[in-house]
Amino acid sequence: MSEEINHTRRRFFGMAAIAVAAAEFGLPAIAGAQETKASTLTLPVVKAGTHTSFDALKQIKAGVLNVGYAEAGPANGPVVLLLHGWPYDIYSFVDVAPLLADAGYRVIIPYLRGYGTTRFLSKDTPRNGQQAALAVDMIALLDALKIEKVVVAGYDWGGRTADIMAALWPERCKALVSVSGYLIGSQEVNRKPLPPKAEFAWWYQFYFATERGRLGYQENRHDFAKLIWQTASPQWAFDDTTFDRSAAAFDNPDHVDIVIHNYRWRLGLVEGEAKFDAYEKKLAVGPVISIPTITMEGDANGAPHPEPSAYRGKFSGKYEHRTITGGIGHNLPQEAPQAFAQAVIDVDRF
């Protein structure tokens, strides 16, 4: 891909992001975000792609799921919960986990519902991808593991889930690292149309709204995911081995149903579950997050994302924003593992 095309894409999505931030999140622009500096433990340099596997993959019954997860680090260490996005999986953190484990943290990295080895306990449970459901899953996981409080960190779906946990259950979250900042949404806001360039950036959301889109994703999910990887991280030179390692997670029997429901629910095209209505009502007003937070963004993120100034006012506690340079795209923890792990350690010391 030519450098000219890369710059053009970045300019396009940058303009689209402004519209997405204003319309989807309904937030005022606040310039000059105040930064809070913390004394830090500096991590050793690690090259992305150094690690290719986790020492242990485990399963535990939690809520409506049997959750598959990786674990690293000492069992008695402070806990970090790392949450992946779509269309990615736990291997986004394969280089982050050992850095945090070596720093003394117990690291928990679950497959979200519909990914990898995570399974529903009952065939009768709705295959629901709404935002509150994923956050409730993670609280159930903490309960099952008998973990009271965590530093929670994520990106994409995982970033939204981490934001929701911090907003609704701050007593369970010591601190937050969120790539692309404040991602909590509402169906009401999402019903409002965006400018054409911003709508174009969400092309897959509209594709998934159709039966053709559901069938297309069912039949071509690996090729579909690879296209998203390429467009969301245009300067990330991942190889087939790296992609295939994560793509195996999309063979989960519930993956397509969860993904399609997630995007259709956002547009108000399908219902969620009534048991989550109270949570969604709270989320719809855009609750402020009070716990210590570091937000992050890659300088070459090709996916729709808000500008940092759009969400600064949504964090009332100690706060810092970091833009990671060097052609870093949407999958920030896998593309820049040292920077991501450093943010986790630093926010824990705020």
Side-chain angles (χ1 to χ4, degrees):
M1 182 178 293
S2 73
E3 186 66 19
E4 180 181 356
I5 292 174
N6 281 338
H7 285 312
T8 299
R9 176 179 286 125
R10 287 171 61 187
R11 286 195 302 271
F12 168 76
F13 281 110
M15 291 185 293
I18 295 173
V20 170
E24 182 178 0
F25 299 95
L27 307 177
I30 300 177
Q34 181 180 355
E35 295 186 354
T36 301
K37 301 294 184 182
S39 59
T40 64
L41 168 67
T42 302
L43 293 171
V45 175
V46 62
K47 181 181 178 182
T50 298
H51 301 87
T52 59
S53 63
F54 294 101
D55 290 340
L57 293 177
K58 303 179 179 181
Q59 296 288 141
I60 189 169
K61 292 181 180 179
V64 300
L65 301 172
N66 187 324
V67 178
Y69 66 101
E71 182 170 355
N76 62 347
V79 184
V80 177
L81 180 68
L82 302 178
L83 303 177
H84 69 82
W86 171 86
Y88 307 93
D89 80 328
I90 64 173
Y91 285 94
S92 290
F93 303 104
V94 72
D95 288 316
V96 172
L99 288 171
L100 294 175
D102 288 346
Y105 288 91
R106 180 186 179 189
V107 187
I108 306 294
I109 314 168
Y111 283 110
L112 301 182
R113 55 169 60 192
Y115 294 81
T117 60
T118 291
R119 297 290 188 273
F120 285 90
L121 296 174
S122 171
K123 63 180 178 58
D124 298 323
T125 302
R127 273 37 178 178
N128 176 0
Q130 75 181 101
Q131 60 180 358
L134 274 68
V136 169
D137 289 345
M138 294 303 103
I139 296 298
L141 175 62
L142 297 185
D143 290 343
L145 292 170
K146 297 180 170 57
I147 295 171
E148 287 300 317
K149 205 162 193 174
V150 298
V151 176
V152 61
Y155 71 100
D156 195 83
W157 286 24
R160 178 177 295 107
T161 302
D163 289 347
I164 293 171
M165 292 174 67
L168 297 185
W169 294 279
E171 72 280 2
R172 307 299 296 272
C173 303
K174 182 179 181 183
L176 167 69
V177 174
S178 181
V179 177
S180 298
Y182 190 90
L183 298 173
I184 298 172
S186 76
Q187 288 181 317
E188 186 61 33
V189 171
N190 288 339
R191 289 189 180 97
K192 299 176 182 177
L194 302 175
K197 287 183 179 180
E199 296 282 31
F200 181 76
W202 288 105
W203 67 271
Y204 52 86
Q205 182 170 246
F206 301 110
Y207 181 63
F208 288 159
T210 68
E211 182 61 15
R212 178 188 177 95
R214 188 191 70 78
L215 292 172
Y217 190 60
Q218 174 72 48
E219 295 176 9
N220 305 294
R221 72 186 82 170
H222 287 201
D223 288 343
F224 198 104
K226 183 174 283 190
L227 175 62
I228 297 296
W229 281 35
Q230 291 165 343
T231 56
S233 297
Q235 297 185 43
W236 182 27
F238 63 87
D239 57 24
D240 286 343
T241 300
T242 299
F243 174 77
D244 291 342
R245 188 182 302 121
S246 289
F250 314 145
D251 293 331
N252 182 294
D254 301 306
H255 179 74
V256 173
D257 287 342
I258 294 297
V259 171
I260 297 302
H261 187 272
N262 177 284
Y263 286 103
R264 290 182 180 180
W265 179 87
R266 293 191 201 188
L267 295 177
L269 300 176
V270 295
E271 296 294 326
E273 291 177 79
K275 67 181 180 179
F276 300 122
D277 286 352
Y279 296 134
E280 295 296 352
K281 185 177 181 179
K282 293 178 181 178
L283 297 173
V285 301
V288 171
I289 292 172
S290 62
I291 66 172
T293 298
I294 291 177
T295 58
M296 307 184 75
E297 192 59 81
D299 65 338
N301 185 0
H305 61 278
E307 289 295 318
S309 60
Y311 51 71
R312 173 60 187 94
K314 286 299 183 180
F315 300 96
S316 64
K318 294 182 179 180
Y319 175 84
E320 183 179 337
H321 177 77
R322 298 177 180 180
T323 296
I324 310 304
T325 60
I328 303 304
H330 191 59
N331 186 4
L332 192 151
Q334 194 162 3
E335 298 175 60
Q338 183 182 358
F340 190 86
Q342 189 69 61
V344 170
I345 290 173
D346 291 350
V347 80
D348 188 30
R349 286 158 170 75
F350 271 10

